[in-house]
Amino acid sequence: MMNIKTNFASAFAALFMSALAAVAGPYEEYEGTTLVVNFPSHPHYNAVMKVLPEFTKETGIRVEVDQLQYLKMREKQTLELTKNKGDYDLLAYVVFSKADYVYADQLENLARYFMNPKLSDPNYDAADLVEGYVGNIGVAGGDKGYLPGVTGSLYGLPFGSETSILGYRQDIFDKHGLDVPTNYEELLDVACKIPELEPGMGGLASRAASGHHASHAFLLHLAPLGGRIFDGNWNPIVNSAEGVAAAEALKTIVDCGTEGAATFGFAEAGASFLQGTSAMFLDSTVFAGQVNDPEKSKVVGKVAWAPHPFGKRASSQTGGFGIGIPKNAENKEAAFLLMQWLTSKKADKMIALAGGNPSRYSTHADVEVNAKFPHMETFGEALKNADPDWRPIIPVWGKINADLGTTLSKVLTEGADIQSSLDGVAERTKSIMEDAGYYTWQ
Amino acid sequence: MSIANKANRLTPYVFMAPAAIILTVALLYPICYMIYASFLDWSPSQRIGEADFVGLRNYANLLQDAAFRESFWVTIKFAAVVVTLEMIIGVGLALLLDRNIKGMSTLRTIFILPMMIAPIVVGLMWRYMYHPTVGIFNRTLKSWGFEGIPWLSDSNWSFVAVVMADVWQWTPFIFILSLAAMQSLPRSALEAAEIDGATEMQKIFFIKLPLMLPVLIVTLMLRLIDAFKVLEVIMVLTNGGPGLSTEIVALRIFRTAQEFQELGEAAAMSNTLLMVLMALTIGMFMYNKMQENRAVRMKAAASKGAV
C-alpha cells in the first residue's frame, strides 16, 4: 500500500516537473543535444573552455570542442564546409575567412535566428557589443562588400576579438621623465630616444618579419596616419604620401628597435617586451594577459597601457576571431543558443574574468573585471576607435598581403627605396584586382 | 598443355598486378589530379567540380610573376651552392677517413646523425643558434670582440645561414655514400699505382676519383633533386625572408596554396618543379646508360685486343 502511494507520488511529481519544464526554458527542446564546435587554441578560447561547463549545467546541451592551432583551422574548416553534412555546429573563424566563407555561401545568415522568438533572448542587448568588432568580423554585404552598410547583414558574432593598444614600461618612462606618446610624432621620437637613454634596450617592439608580420605592422600605422590600401573604386593607393609615411614610421621603429628587430614575428616582438629588452609594445590586446604572468614575464607590475597613438585620425586595428554557424551544420538552432549564450553579458564577463577578451562595452567598464585586470578600462576606451576597415577583407587579400609583406621586408632589411617599392606593390595589386574582376564596371 | 602454358605466361603479370594497382592509385592518380588542377582557377572553398577551367592561364601567370621567377632563381642558386659545398666536403671527409681508424664505426654513426634528425627540429635548432642576442654564434663572436652578424635579418646572410644548415644536415649523406664507394674500389689498381711510385695526391686524382665517378654522379643527382624540394628547414628558419631572399619554390608553392588560396596556380608551380626534376632524373638515367654502354664497349675492345 505504502509502495503504491510513493509510486503515485513520484509519478505525479515527474508529470508535474515535465509540464513545468515544457513552459520553463528556451533550452528544454534541445536538452541532451551534443554540439560539436571548432575553436582555436588561443588565450581567449582557453578561458572559454573554463566557462563552457557552466553552459551545459544551465541548458543541458553538451558541447564537444575540437581545439586546433589557429593557422591549421582554415584548412580543416574548408574541408568541413564543403561537405554535404558537416561535423561542426559552430566554428570560430579568423576575420580573413569571413570574406571567403560568406562569398562561398557557407555561413548561416543570423537574421532568421534573431527573428525567431523562441531562440532570441530579448535581454541580449546587441547595442552593447563593440561596434567595430561586429562590423569587422560579423557583418558582410554592406560598403565595399565586406563592411557594414545599408545592405549589410549579420553572419557571425565577435568572440575573442582584439584591437591594438600601446603597452609601455612605466618604470623606464618615470626614470627618464618621458611622456607617454599620444601621437605618432611623439611615438617615433620616444622610440628612438630610448636606445640612447637605456643602452641595450630597444624602443618599440614591432613585428617586421618578411610576409604577414611586416605587412601587419605597416597596416597598423597606415590607418592612423590617414592612409588606406584602396580608394573607393578599388584603385590601390598604398603608394600615397600616407603610405610612404607609414612605411617610414615602421622603418624608424625597426631601426630604433632592439637587436634582430627586423626578423621579429608577433611572438618574438612580444617576448622582447616581456624579457625587458624593449620599452614599448604596440599590437594586439590579446597580449596583455601575459604581461603580469611571472612565468612568462620579467616585467610584472612595470607595464602600463595607453590607446594607440593618434596620427591624422584615431584608428586602432580590429582582428581576432568571430563565431558563426556553418550552412551544413546539423544542430543549427542549438548552436545559435550556444552562440548567444557565449556572447551574452553574463558569459562575456565570466570569460573576461577567466582571462579572455571581452566583446562588450559593459564588460570593459565592469568594476569586478577592472579590479582583476586594471587595463580593461583603457582597452574599452581604445575600442571606441576600433577601425573595421584598417585592412581590406577580400578574397585576394592573401596574395596582396604577402607581396606587401615581402616588399616591406626588403625596405627594412635591404634599404630598398620606399616610394618605388610601394609603387611596385600598387602596380602588382592593380593587376591582381584586375584579374579578380574588380574593374569590371569601370 | 596450352592452358598451362598460358597460365605460366600470365603468372608474372598476376604477381605484378597488386604493385601496379597500388602504384596507379597512389602515384598516377594524384599526379593526373595535379595536372588537371593546374588548368583550373580553384579556391579551397570550392569542390574541384565547381572550379573554372582556365586552360594555360596559370602557367602564363607564372611566367609573368616576378616573385615566382625570383624564387626559381633562389632555388637554383641554393641547389647549386649547397650541392657543390656538400660534394666537396663530403668527398673530402671520405678521403680523409678512408683508413683503418680505431672506433671508425662509432665515428661514422656520429657523422650521419644530422641526417637522422627531423627537418623541423634542425630548423628550430639552427634558428636558436642564429638568434641575434642569445644564439651561440653571436655570443661567441661577441666574446671574441667582434660585431654580431645579422644571420637571419640580412638578405645575404640569411642565404648563407640556410646554406650552412643544409650543408650541416646533408654532407653526411654524401660522406657515407662516397666512403662506401671508396672502400669497394679495386685494390689492385691502387697497388699497381703504389708500385709505380704514385703520390697520395696522384692516387686520389687519377685513380680514386675517376673510379668513384659513377657513384658520385648518382649521389650528386640525388642531392640535387632533394635540394630542389627542401622546405621545412627554410620554412622554420626564415620563412622565405627577408624579402624573398630565401624563398625557394617549394615554399612558394606551400604559400600559394595555404596563404593565397590558389590551388590551381600552386598545382602549376608544382608541375613546373616536377618537370625540372624529371629532366634531372632523366639526365641521371641517361648518364648511367652511357656509362654502362661505354663499359661494355671497352670490355669488348679489351677482349678483342687480347685475342
Side-chain angles (χ1 to χ4, degrees):
Chain A
M1 188 65 191
M2 186 68 175
N3 219 349
I4 292 172
K5 231 182 195 169
T6 12
N7 270 353
F8 246 113
S10 59
F12 183 73
L15 209 73
F16 179 73
M17 294 271 281
S18 64
L20 195 74
V23 293
Y27 299 112
E28 171 67 18
E29 202 183 317
Y30 306 99
E31 209 179 311
T33 312
T34 301
L35 292 172
V36 183
V37 304
N38 177 213
F39 286 163
S41 63
H42 173 272
H44 175 76
Y45 287 87
N46 295 341
V48 172
M49 296 303 283
K50 292 183 202 152
V51 174
L52 261 183
E54 196 64 29
F55 173 75
T56 308
K57 214 165 83 192
E58 206 174 292
T59 64
I61 300 173
R62 282 190 291 270
V63 184
E64 212 175 89
V65 180
D66 183 12
Q67 241 185 332
L68 296 173
Q69 203 257 335
Y70 86 94
L71 292 170
K72 294 275 165 290
M73 272 180 10
R74 178 61 201 261
E75 218 177 311
K76 181 83 188 281
Q77 289 180 355
T78 300
L79 276 177
E80 284 297 329
L81 290 171
T82 43
K83 289 189 341 195
N84 281 331
K85 206 168 165 194
D87 287 337
Y88 294 141
D89 295 306
L90 184 73
L91 50 81
Y93 57 90
V94 291
V95 60
F96 285 124
S97 305
K98 177 181 87 172
D100 295 319
Y101 294 169
V102 171
Y103 189 70
D105 197 20
Q106 288 165 333
L107 284 182
E108 282 282 315
N109 191 317
L110 295 180
R112 48 184 285 230
Y113 300 94
F114 278 113
M115 281 170 82
N116 187 334
K118 286 182 187 164
L119 294 175
S120 171
D121 178 359
N123 298 318
Y124 182 69
D125 192 4
D128 184 35
L129 290 167
V130 174
E131 201 185 337
Y133 284 172
V134 178
N136 181 243
I137 287 162
V139 180
D143 297 343
K144 297 185 184 177
Y146 62 87
L147 285 174
V150 182
T151 49
S153 52
L154 190 69
Y155 291 89
L157 291 170
F159 194 51
S161 311
E162 43 197 67
T163 187
S164 51
I165 192 98
L166 178 73
Y168 62 96
R169 288 280 299 278
Q170 183 80 64
D171 55 332
I172 303 284
F173 273 63
D174 287 349
K175 187 174 154 192
H176 301 289
L178 298 170
D179 288 328
V180 181
T182 53
N183 61 42
Y184 262 79
E185 239 169 76
E186 292 169 14
L187 176 75
L188 297 177
D189 185 47
V190 169
C192 288
K193 251 188 203 158
I194 281 165
E196 290 167 22
L197 296 170
E198 285 280 325
M201 185 179 271
L204 174 73
S206 164
R207 319 187 194 196
S210 187
H212 175 65
H213 291 295
S215 163
H216 184 278
F218 167 77
L219 292 165
L220 205 56
H221 309 310
L222 180 67
L225 289 172
R228 286 280 186 243
I229 297 287
F230 298 109
D231 69 5
N233 296 318
W234 296 113
N235 293 309
I237 48 164
V238 64
N239 52 346
S240 62
E242 290 84 4
V244 173
E248 274 166 358
L250 177 60
K251 186 154 172 56
T252 308
I253 287 167
V254 171
D255 288 346
C256 294
T258 187
E259 212 173 354
T263 51
F264 279 178
F266 180 63
E268 287 89 356
S272 163
F273 188 61
L274 293 180
Q275 294 300 314
T277 53
S278 294
M280 291 185 283
F281 178 84
L282 178 66
D283 209 313
S284 161
T285 43
V286 70
F287 175 77
Q290 304 172 31
V291 167
N292 288 326
D293 177 352
E295 273 181 30
K296 292 180 182 157
S297 162
K298 288 188 183 165
V299 293
V300 176
K302 294 176 182 167
V303 176
W305 302 91
H308 192 130
F310 186 89
K312 283 187 180 165
R313 62 181 163 215
S315 160
S316 56
Q317 72 157 93
T318 42
F321 300 91
I323 43 178
I325 305 171
K327 269 264 158 76
N328 59 2
E330 225 171 314
N331 304 298
K332 292 178 189 170
E333 290 175 349
F336 175 77
L337 289 173
L338 171 61
M339 188 172 179
Q340 182 174 248
W341 188 87
L342 285 173
T343 51
S344 68
K345 278 186 179 167
K346 185 175 130 200
D348 201 51
K349 183 175 164 181
M350 286 197 304
I351 294 166
L353 286 172
N357 294 14
S359 6
R360 285 176 170 271
Y361 292 118
S362 61
T363 316
H364 282 92
D366 189 273
V367 180
E368 215 179 316
V369 175
N370 271 288
K372 196 167 178 191
F373 301 106
H375 56 251
M376 268 314 166
E377 210 176 340
T378 315
F379 287 18
E381 280 303 305
L383 278 173
K384 291 185 179 142
N385 299 320
D387 181 355
D389 196 21
W390 74 294
R391 72 180 162 201
I393 311 168
I394 51 178
V396 289
W397 175 245
K399 205 168 183 182
I400 299 167
N401 190 42
D403 182 28
L404 183 60
T406 43
T407 310
L408 285 166
S409 172
K410 283 182 189 167
V411 168
L412 295 177
T413 61
E414 296 169 16
D417 178 59
I418 291 177
Q419 182 69 57
S420 60
S421 299
L422 290 179
D423 287 347
V425 173
E427 194 185 307
R428 291 186 292 271
T429 302
K430 182 117 193 167
S431 87
I432 292 172
M433 297 300 276
E434 171 95 64
D435 280 350
Y438 282 91
Y439 305 130
T440 313
W441 289 77
Q442 286 178 18
Chain B
M1 179 66 191
S2 76
I3 291 174
N5 221 350
K6 249 184 204 160
N8 254 345
R9 231 181 282 160
L10 272 177
T11 317
Y13 298 105
V14 173
F15 280 130
M16 270 163 59
I21 290 168
I22 287 172
L23 214 64
T24 318
V25 174
L27 194 74
L28 279 181
Y29 175 72
I31 288 181
C32 294
Y33 200 87
M34 185 174 80
I35 293 173
Y36 174 58
S38 73
F39 299 124
L40 301 176
D41 180 14
W42 184 21
S43 103
S45 301
Q46 299 168 306
R47 289 179 200 163
I48 192 163
E50 298 165 356
D52 294 329
F53 189 84
V54 294
L56 287 170
R57 204 184 73 189
N58 287 329
Y59 291 93
N61 283 350
L62 279 193
L63 288 179
Q64 288 168 9
D65 184 355
F68 177 73
R69 282 203 308 262
E70 193 168 339
S71 15
F72 210 84
W73 169 235
V74 170
T75 313
I76 289 173
K77 204 167 72 173
F78 175 80
V81 172
V82 150
V83 173
T84 314
L85 282 176
E86 284 166 11
M87 285 304 284
I88 294 172
I89 302 174
V91 175
L93 272 178
L95 286 168
L96 276 177
L97 292 174
D98 177 29
R99 59 200 70 202
N100 287 328
I101 302 173
K102 223 174 178 187
M104 188 57 209
S105 56
T106 325
L107 214 60
R108 223 176 310 170
T109 318
I110 293 175
F111 266 124
I112 62 170
L113 265 180
M115 233 168 77
M116 296 194 262
I117 302 175
I120 297 280
V121 181
V122 173
L124 283 174
M125 219 169 70
W126 281 86
R127 191 162 143 188
Y128 290 126
M129 294 202 286
Y130 286 136
H131 192 282
T133 45
V134 299
I136 183 144
F137 291 124
N138 275 7
R139 270 211 331 242
T140 317
L141 282 174
K142 279 176 194 166
S143 71
W144 289 344
F146 294 108
E147 279 271 301
I149 290 175
W151 288 109
L152 300 177
S153 50
D154 175 276
S155 48
N156 294 321
W157 278 113
S158 66
F159 186 77
V160 174
V162 295
V163 165
M164 270 166 62
D166 196 86
V167 168
W168 176 83
Q169 195 184 13
W170 289 109
T171 301
F173 174 75
I174 291 173
F175 161 70
I176 206 95
L177 285 187
S178 28
L179 191 65
M182 211 172 290
Q183 287 177 343
S184 61
L185 290 185
R187 291 284 138 189
S188 52
L190 286 170
E191 277 163 21
E194 261 164 49
I195 292 167
D196 288 344
T199 62
E200 276 301 316
M201 277 294 153
Q202 284 172 326
K203 274 200 290 186
I204 290 173
F205 284 106
F206 296 116
I207 299 178
K208 286 187 182 174
L209 286 183
L211 281 175
M212 279 162 65
L213 205 59
V215 176
L216 290 185
I217 295 284
V218 174
T219 318
L220 179 99
M221 283 299 175
L222 284 175
R223 264 312 294 146
L224 211 54
I225 290 171
D226 236 26
F228 268 94
K229 297 187 304 182
V230 61
L231 171 68
E232 296 99 326
V233 176
I234 297 187
M235 193 163 86
V236 175
L237 265 181
T238 64
N239 199 18
L244 290 173
S245 56
T246 54
E247 185 162 291
I248 39 138
V249 171
L251 189 59
R252 181 100 201 145
I253 294 171
F254 178 76
R255 293 183 65 190
T256 306
Q258 188 86 8
E259 274 176 44
F260 315 160
Q261 312 269 328
E262 292 191 13
L263 299 182
E265 204 159 319
M269 286 183 194
S270 303
N271 277 336
T272 315
L273 186 63
L274 183 70
M275 281 188 275
V276 173
L277 292 181
M278 197 78 109
L280 277 178
T281 317
I282 291 171
M284 181 176 96
F285 279 131
M286 294 230 301
Y287 180 82
N288 260 2
K289 198 92 199 154
M290 252 162 56
Q291 285 288 320
E292 273 168 30
N293 287 344
R294 226 182 73 189
V296 169
R297 268 205 315 274
M298 274 165 69
K299 230 179 210 166
S303 58
K304 223 183 201 171
V307 170

